[in-house]
Amino acid sequence: MKKRSQKTDNQSFKSSSKEKLNKPHHQAKPAKPKNPYFYGIHAVSMLIKRRPEEVLGLFIQLRDDGQMSSEHQLIVQSAKHFGISIQNAHRERLTELCGSQQHQGVVALARTAPMADETILDNLLMQDDVLFLVLDQITDAHNLGACLRTACAMGVDAVILPRHQSAPITPTVAKVSVGASEVIPVISVTNLARTLEKMKKSGVFIFGTALDKSAKPAFECDFGGKVAIIMGSEGDGMRRLTQTMCDTLVYIPMAEVLDRPQSLNVSVATGMVLYEVMRQRRGFGQMPLV
């Protein structure tokens, strides 16, 4: 009886183990991405102004005397107007929330803004003097934020990014752009070459920046009419396929200084080219003092 009972137990154990092995493995559902914490006075101010319904909470640092700075007071007033929850927090807590010490005493929990729809591109292509900035594989958030800031200041109508191998619009981008990421349309496209071809058929003249023998100095180019300026990635510049879509290659002349850097940071170069575009379009030699 003992042996028979032992055999039965063994069979039962084997059967149970077999069932476990054959039982489908249910993987845990991936957690939904958390809403990010935006930070910085200008970024948060513009976020509340442009997308108040997407702001879920505001965290403010008080001064040592327990009072708010005038800049923080304006942000709080705006947040109260839209019924946004407000909490006071220490500097260390704000740093912990946003992951940066550059928060300037203000952090906002908010939903990420979606990229602009490609249908916006169709509407813009109908304008006679439309100006696009195309960023080909800019992967550094600080460079992307700086480019958006400059593009907004220089009157660019929209910024175009390839969907893959480009930095997303993160709180860091929003902070560096000082809120410009909330103002200027940023269009993410699946196939950049196809988009450029579409733009060319609509009469857009495409300039690509490159250190190439065939490139022309930026100040010798005519930037009137429908124009797109392409800036390449930080390390490799434009991809070969992107370069073939350009009507003209341009470069920024530099001083003949011994041992000078051979290239410029992409956000700096973007600012210099876009300034030349605006200078020509507005017909002035110097920027007016503000």
Side-chain angles (χ1 to χ4, degrees):
M1 290 291 290
K2 257 186 180 181
K3 288 182 180 178
R4 191 172 179 182
S5 174
Q6 194 172 12
K7 187 176 180 182
T8 305
D9 290 343
N10 288 340
Q11 286 176 342
S12 175
F13 174 77
K14 287 177 182 178
S15 175
S16 174
S17 300
K18 202 170 184 180
E19 285 176 8
K20 287 181 180 178
L21 287 171
N22 292 333
K23 192 174 181 180
H25 178 64
H26 294 288
Q27 293 182 343
K29 291 182 179 179
K32 291 183 179 179
K34 295 180 180 178
N35 293 311
Y37 288 91
F38 292 80
Y39 58 97
I41 289 172
H42 295 290
V44 172
S45 297
M46 194 55 64
L47 175 61
I48 295 173
K49 182 178 181 180
R50 307 285 289 207
R51 298 191 294 122
E53 71 284 354
E54 303 291 336
V55 182
L56 307 176
L58 179 68
F59 301 84
I60 292 286
Q61 177 187 340
L62 298 179
R63 295 185 311 207
D64 293 339
D65 60 4
Q67 301 300 313
M68 286 186 194
S69 68
S70 58
E71 291 174 313
H72 288 173
Q73 286 176 7
L74 291 174
I75 294 174
V76 168
Q77 287 173 11
S78 182
K80 285 181 177 178
H81 175 75
F82 293 108
I84 298 170
S85 171
I86 304 167
Q87 296 182 41
N88 294 332
H90 294 293
R91 178 177 180 81
E92 293 75 16
R93 174 58 175 158
L94 298 184
T95 300
E96 181 184 350
L97 288 174
C98 68
S100 172
Q101 295 183 0
Q102 308 303 316
H103 49 68
Q104 298 176 312
V106 56
V107 171
L109 174 64
R111 298 183 183 92
T112 303
M115 292 286 191
D117 194 275
E118 285 193 48
T119 55
I120 293 178
L121 180 61
D122 296 328
N123 296 329
L124 289 172
L125 288 174
M126 297 173 65
Q127 298 180 16
D128 292 334
D129 296 310
V130 67
L131 175 59
F132 296 103
L133 173 63
V134 181
L135 300 176
D136 187 19
Q137 296 187 307
I138 304 300
T139 57
D140 181 82
H142 290 84
N143 279 337
L144 176 56
C147 287
L148 294 181
R149 178 178 184 176
T150 300
C152 195
M154 295 292 111
V156 171
D157 293 294
V159 175
I160 298 174
L161 309 173
R163 187 156 296 164
H164 304 291
Q165 297 180 321
S166 287
I169 305 298
T170 62
T172 298
V173 172
K175 168 65 170 61
V176 176
S177 76
V178 293
S181 59
E182 297 291 341
V183 179
I184 192 168
V186 181
I187 304 171
S188 177
V189 298
T190 304
N191 188 312
L192 183 57
R194 190 186 306 148
T195 299
L196 293 173
E197 183 63 38
K198 177 181 180 179
M199 293 164 68
K200 287 165 72 77
K201 289 179 180 178
S202 296
V204 177
F205 198 89
I206 299 178
F207 294 92
T209 53
L211 294 174
D212 188 272
K213 290 182 179 179
S214 63
K216 295 172 60 177
F219 59 79
E220 290 184 7
C221 298
D222 180 1
F223 292 115
K226 296 183 178 182
V227 167
I229 306 294
I230 303 180
M231 306 300 298
S233 69
E234 295 91 343
D236 302 322
M238 288 185 296
R239 286 172 291 177
R240 184 179 299 177
L241 182 57
T242 305
Q243 186 166 328
T244 62
M245 302 301 296
C246 297
D247 295 301
T248 296
L249 296 180
V250 303
Y251 72 95
I252 300 169
M254 290 186 277
E256 293 298 331
V257 178
L258 183 65
D259 296 332
R260 66 166 169 79
Q262 296 303 303
S263 62
L264 297 167
N265 172 275
V266 64
S267 62
V268 173
T270 298
M272 296 177 75
V273 174
L274 288 180
Y275 177 80
E276 176 60 22
V277 175
M278 190 179 71
R279 186 190 69 80
Q280 289 188 21
R281 287 175 170 237
R282 296 197 180 179
F284 55 74
Q286 294 183 341
M287 284 282 287
L289 296 176
V290 179

